[in-house]
Amino acid sequence: MKKMGGPVEGPPSELIDKAIAALDDWRGETLARIRKLIHEADPDVVEAWKWGVPVWSHDGIVCTGETYKAAVKTTFPMGASMEDPSGLFNSSLEGATRRAIDFRQGEAIDEAAFKALIRAAVALNVSKR
């Protein structure tokens, strides 16, 4: 995972706000949009700041948000166990457990499909409880 740097102390939601604000380009806008979609898909999601990146959880980690020069990546630690009917997963496909989505500058986000993946990750976490 790529550490975002920036803030290290404070409530997780404030740390994520500060990290997004520090990204004054398309990556900040993309991460903010992804965050909003995660909350729309699961209003009970819990935000955390771990490993220097935003983490969203509901009965376990749903996904993380990492930023790189050319992509904003959401990693789903149990992604290989999830259905992806829209084919959003485009990164970390060789792993046995995780899957990721790399969002690149100028690419549209399939919001309905992304929200469906968030809900699937939550359902998987709840089923393993």
Side-chain angles (χ1 to χ4, degrees):
M1 252 177 257
K2 168 89 174 180
K3 289 187 177 184
M4 295 177 75
V8 292
E9 290 187 25
S13 61
E14 286 181 19
L15 295 176
I16 296 169
D17 289 341
K18 289 177 184 176
I20 289 171
L23 294 165
D24 61 353
D25 59 10
W26 68 272
R27 296 172 303 158
E29 294 170 11
T30 300
L31 187 57
R33 184 72 191 134
I34 289 167
R35 181 189 196 189
K36 183 177 186 294
L37 293 172
I38 291 168
H39 281 279
E40 288 174 2
D42 181 16
D44 296 324
V45 74
V46 176
E47 293 188 321
W49 183 263
K50 297 180 181 181
W51 313 294
V53 299
V55 176
W56 292 277
S57 298
H58 184 143
D59 288 328
I61 295 175
V62 172
C63 66
T64 63
E66 307 112 66
T67 56
Y68 299 89
K69 184 176 181 178
V72 174
K73 179 186 292 280
T74 54
T75 300
F76 293 73
M78 298 299 294
S81 299
M82 297 167 42
E83 294 292 323
D84 179 21
S86 297
L88 290 184
F89 290 135
N90 61 11
S91 183
S92 302
L93 301 175
E94 67 286 343
T97 56
R98 68 185 172 115
R99 294 286 183 270
I101 305 167
D102 285 352
F103 297 97
R104 292 180 177 79
Q105 186 174 12
E107 290 181 343
I109 297 173
D110 183 339
E111 296 182 2
F114 184 72
K115 287 180 183 182
L117 277 181
I118 296 298
R119 290 184 196 108
V122 170
L124 182 60
N125 286 349
V126 170
S127 74
K128 293 185 178 278
R129 213 173 7 150

